[in-house]
Amino acid sequence: MRLPPFSRLLAVLVLVTGGAALAQRRQLQDFQGDGMESQQERDAARSRPKYNITSYGRDVKIKEEPIPWMAIGFVGIIFAGVAPFAWRAYRNTTKEMAEANVFGVSSSREGEEEQQ
């Protein structure tokens, strides 16, 4: 049974990368022998804060962005200018829909039949 060249290449790559991954594993250091701390040193280390948060808060100033009054005013002016045209379009559309109502009393077909 002969393997195609791609399968051989894949097998070689798997073996090489697996070997490289195993070669990079490091042994953990032995910490038991050196640097034994006393109980007092451990308690002092626990009582100290790990991060100095308060000094960071004093140094950093929060930058507040102003309210964009100019943009708000511009949008208000646009709405004020467009509102009359929108109201006229709404009123004309509802009038046309009411006239085209087939089942209502104010149907335009009733008026046409009487005239003919």
Side-chain angles (χ1 to χ4, degrees), residues 25-40:
R25 280 183 51 186
R26 296 183 181 156
Q27 297 294 328
L28 294 176
Q29 298 175 357
D30 188 19
F31 290 109
Q32 292 178 356
D34 29 287
M36 290 294 284
E37 295 181 1
S38 67
Q39 184 66 31
Q40 292 175 347

Side-chain angles (χ1 to χ4, degrees), residues 2-91:
R2 189 163 160 85
L3 293 175
F6 179 72
S7 298
R8 279 190 270 163
L9 177 65
L10 184 64
V12 169
L13 285 175
V14 167
L15 291 174
V16 169
T17 55
L22 289 175
Q24 288 182 355
R25 280 183 51 186
R26 296 183 181 156
Q27 297 294 328
L28 294 176
Q29 298 175 357
D30 188 19
F31 290 109
Q32 292 178 356
D34 29 287
M36 290 294 284
E37 295 181 1
S38 67
Q39 184 66 31
Q40 292 175 347
E41 290 174 352
R42 280 186 254 143
D43 290 340
R46 286 184 188 142
S47 65
R48 284 191 306 261
K50 290 184 179 181
Y51 307 104
N52 195 357
I53 297 172
T54 56
S55 67
Y56 177 77
R58 278 187 245 132
D59 295 339
V60 175
K61 294 179 182 175
I62 298 173
K63 182 180 177 184
E64 295 182 15
E65 294 186 18
I67 298 173
W69 291 112
M70 196 167 177
I72 293 172
F74 185 65
V75 168
I77 291 170
I78 290 175
F79 278 135
V82 171
F85 298 106
W87 177 252
R88 187 182 317 154
Y90 170 75
R91 193 177 50 204

Side-chain angles (χ1 to χ4, degrees), residues 40 89 101 110:
Q40 292 175 347
N101 189 0
E110 289 180 8

Side-chain angles (χ1 to χ4, degrees), residues 96-109:
E96 288 176 11
M97 290 175 64
E99 290 174 0
N101 189 0
V102 178
F103 299 108
V105 177
S106 63
S107 175
S108 62
R109 292 185 181 180

